[in-house]
Amino acid sequence: MKSMKAFLQHGLMTAMVIGITSCNDTREEIAMPSLDLSEEHLIPKPTKMVTSNGSFRLDQFTRIVTQGEDERLAEVASFLAGKIDQKAGIRPGVNTQTEDEYDPIILLRQLKDASWANQEAYRLTISRDSLILEVPTAEAAFRGVQTIRQLIPDVSNDTLASHPIWPVAAGTIEDYPNFGFRGSMLDVARHFFSVEDVKKYIDLLAYYKINVLHLHLTDDQGWRIEIKSWPKLTEVGGSTEVGGESGGFFTQDDYKDIVAYATSHFMTIIPEVDMPGHTNAASVSYPFLDGTGKPLKLYEGTRVGFSTFDTRKDTVYAFIDDVVREISALTPGPYFHIGGDESHSTKKDDYIYFVNRVEKIVRKHGKTMVGWDEIAEADVESSSIAQFWADAENATKAVNKGMKVILSPAKKAYLDMQYDTLSKHGLHWAAYIPVDTAYIWNPETYVPNIPKDRILGVEAPLWSETISNIQELEYLAFPRAIGYAELSWSQEENRDWEDFRVRLAHQTPYLDMMDVSYYPSPRIDWVKPPEKSRQILKD
């Protein structure tokens, strides 16, 4: 392969590439194996893959170079270098200079033209001498990097040269997402999860190209985010959780740390303040908010529907304005989730009045309102978004009002549902959801009369009534969250359960490396890596 200087002389300065070449002047003497790209166990399944002969080799001489206008390319390159180090124990330099024309090179190439399917599309071309990732944006590069991570073997092939080499199957991949919104929700209100727990969840979701994390920040059992203008929300409302433990909350600096970490993984955070129901923790903190007229006390159970704000009191909306203002200022994403579900103690007219008024507050602070499907009963704007979880009629009503919907049907997509009768954690009020049931449904056709262009995307919620630590969280989320990632990203014609279950079975090296306490479903023939491989991955 030509030197880096030669590449620049041939006009690559106008583009952005991740390409890897083979290593030194003895490369012709090293026979690389011929690997079949179509047999790689990629999740989500790419849109199109074509296999070619041979393989590309990754080794200690590899370096990464970025080209393009987007300043975040260098961040993506550094991210990839770190992940290669984590997996292979070699850390490529990023934008380092060398006079050796045979140094392996990773180039991130930005092609800013109109031919891309969308801004997350990428094209990956792998040959004996190069691995080239062409993208329109740094975000697309980040998605493509996840594919590269999955293509790198778990262990090196030590027989090819005097130093370890990780051969990567040759071929081309053209890929883009089925839906632009691919999410999961984490309930930190029923049980509180730390900043580090949330960051680990972000790591795991991002590996499978999920790009939205919805945080359920408030409920009857706890208020989990600091509001400086209303300090008792966390002092009082954040002091407990289901089961009577001490609870906890995110300071605004904690929340900003989570948002920044998500941003570095090209993931949008959606904050949710659930109202006018699910509001006991707020009302105990500030009793004037209460609309039930009943005695107030901190709640540690799991019952729903007993709380409500006073929807006809102006001071309630002054409070909500402050909360939305402070959280919105900390959240760069476009959405603010107002909850709106299970408001059984709120009269219907009061509920409609409340949602209409809160929508205006959310818009005032520059955000798009999202709410559970019940909000479709109100006179909401077409720009607001309904999240279908229970009532298909509400979802259809939302679409008829010109709204888009997020699909989170409890019978298919709720991560807190038990896998089966033997599950250690979870509930089953909606259904038992084994791994195959979670995967075998079509978001595009699940709700009749909702066309695909009105579906924003898919989100898998994880409610935390029955889990209190990261291991229990992982047990419920994985491996089902991996299937939801494919349902969100891969095209319908590329989704097949029998094919997916084989690819899922080969995710164990990554899950083990990340110390994920996943549920080893008996419906999957899990492939365990050799002990030597597992030790290398953990070191």
Side-chain angles (χ1 to χ4, degrees), residues 276 311-312 317 343 345-357 377-379:
T311 64
R312 300 292 176 167
Y317 297 99
S343 296
S345 295
T346 314
K347 294 179 181 178
K348 185 171 182 178
D349 288 347
D350 292 341
Y351 177 85
I352 292 171
Y353 176 83
F354 178 87
V355 172
N356 292 344
R357 193 158 173 181
E377 297 177 357
D379 301 321

Side-chain angles (χ1 to χ4, degrees), residues 177-469:
N178 191 31
F179 293 109
F181 185 107
R182 307 176 301 279
S184 181
M185 186 216 76
L186 179 59
D187 172 13
V188 298
R190 271 55 175 272
H191 281 100
F192 182 64
F193 292 90
S194 69
V195 172
E196 292 308 311
D197 289 341
V198 176
K199 286 183 176 180
K200 183 179 181 183
Y201 198 43
I202 289 171
D203 286 334
L204 296 170
L205 296 176
Y207 185 73
Y208 296 104
K209 299 185 175 68
I210 286 177
N211 66 348
V212 174
L213 178 60
H214 165 189
L215 291 175
H216 184 78
L217 293 167
T218 72
D219 214 296
D220 292 315
Q221 299 87 350
W223 185 285
R224 307 301 182 200
I225 184 167
E226 176 188 21
I227 304 297
K228 292 185 181 296
S229 54
W230 300 88
K232 289 183 180 179
L233 289 170
T234 48
E235 292 173 8
V236 177
S239 65
T240 190
E241 61 185 20
V242 169
E245 298 299 321
S246 58
F249 63 91
F250 300 129
T251 67
Q252 291 199 358
D253 284 341
D254 289 335
Y255 182 76
K256 286 190 288 186
D257 187 19
I258 291 171
V259 169
Y261 194 77
T263 300
S264 72
H265 290 67
F266 294 85
M267 187 174 293
T268 298
I269 295 292
I270 300 180
E272 179 186 353
V273 174
D274 206 349
M275 48 188 171
H278 292 277
T279 48
N280 185 75
S283 293
V284 172
S285 304
Y286 293 98
F288 78 88
L289 297 169
D290 179 57
T292 67
K294 299 177 181 179
L296 297 170
K297 61 180 179 179
L298 290 170
Y299 184 63
E300 301 169 357
T302 60
R303 184 165 54 93
V304 300
F306 64 89
S307 59
T308 185
F309 280 159
D310 186 334
T311 64
R312 300 292 176 167
K313 189 182 291 184
D314 287 342
T315 50
V316 170
Y317 297 99
F319 163 83
I320 293 170
D321 190 280
D322 284 340
V323 169
V324 175
R325 171 179 54 80
E326 290 195 31
I327 296 176
S328 294
L330 303 172
T331 309
Y335 307 113
F336 192 101
H337 203 302
I338 70 159
D341 62 317
E342 298 176 321
S343 296
H344 305 319
S345 295
T346 314
K347 294 179 181 178
K348 185 171 182 178
D349 288 347
D350 292 341
Y351 177 85
I352 292 171
Y353 176 83
F354 178 87
V355 172
N356 292 344
R357 193 158 173 181
V358 172
E359 181 185 49
K360 293 180 175 61
I361 294 172
V362 171
R363 292 175 62 193
K364 169 186 170 183
H365 294 290
K367 302 299 181 183
T368 296
M369 186 183 78
V370 185
W372 300 105
D373 60 51
E374 290 94 324
I375 68 165
E377 297 177 357
D379 301 321
V380 292
E381 298 288 336
S382 61
S383 59
S384 291
I385 297 163
Q387 185 164 359
F388 165 52
W389 71 281
D391 193 332
E393 184 178 344
N394 280 337
T396 303
K397 189 181 299 184
V399 169
N400 290 339
K401 292 183 177 185
M403 302 166 66
K404 287 195 172 183
V405 297
I406 300 166
L407 297 184
S408 302
K411 294 180 180 180
K412 287 288 187 179
Y414 266 31
L415 288 168
D416 58 304
M417 293 297 106
Q418 292 174 299
Y419 293 92
D420 50 44
T421 59
L422 300 179
S423 293
K424 292 186 294 184
H425 310 291
L427 303 168
H428 59 267
W429 58 262
Y432 291 105
I433 306 181
V435 177
D436 53 348
T437 298
Y439 183 86
I440 303 173
W441 61 287
N442 287 333
E444 296 90 335
T445 59
Y446 187 75
V447 181
N449 304 318
I450 295 184
K452 183 179 178 181
D453 64 0
R454 306 313 301 166
I455 300 172
L456 189 64
V458 178
E459 179 182 294
L462 178 51
W463 303 99
S464 65
E465 290 99 324
T466 69
I467 57 172
S468 59
N469 58 54

Side-chain angles (χ1 to χ4, degrees), residues 31-81:
M32 295 296 291
S34 183
L35 304 177
D36 189 341
L37 183 62
S38 67
E39 293 183 358
E40 295 297 323
H41 305 292
L42 299 176
I43 299 178
K45 186 74 170 284
T47 305
K48 181 180 180 181
M49 290 194 295
V50 178
T51 297
S52 59
N53 294 327
S55 59
F56 163 78
R57 70 188 187 191
L58 171 67
D59 64 18
Q60 65 194 33
F61 300 101
T62 299
R63 63 191 179 97
I64 303 174
V65 176
T66 64
Q67 298 175 347
E69 299 176 3
D70 196 323
E71 295 179 355
R72 298 191 68 181
L73 287 175
E75 298 174 18
V76 176
S78 295
F79 175 90
L80 176 59

Side-chain angles (χ1 to χ4, degrees), residues 117-131:
N118 60 52
Q119 293 302 292
E120 290 183 282
Y122 66 90
R123 182 165 54 244
L124 185 61
T125 306
I126 308 165
S127 67
R128 187 191 185 286
D129 294 325
S130 63
L131 185 158

Side-chain angles (χ1 to χ4, degrees), residues 164-177:
I165 291 175
W166 286 260
V168 178
T172 59
I173 295 175
E174 296 181 5
D175 201 10
Y176 58 91

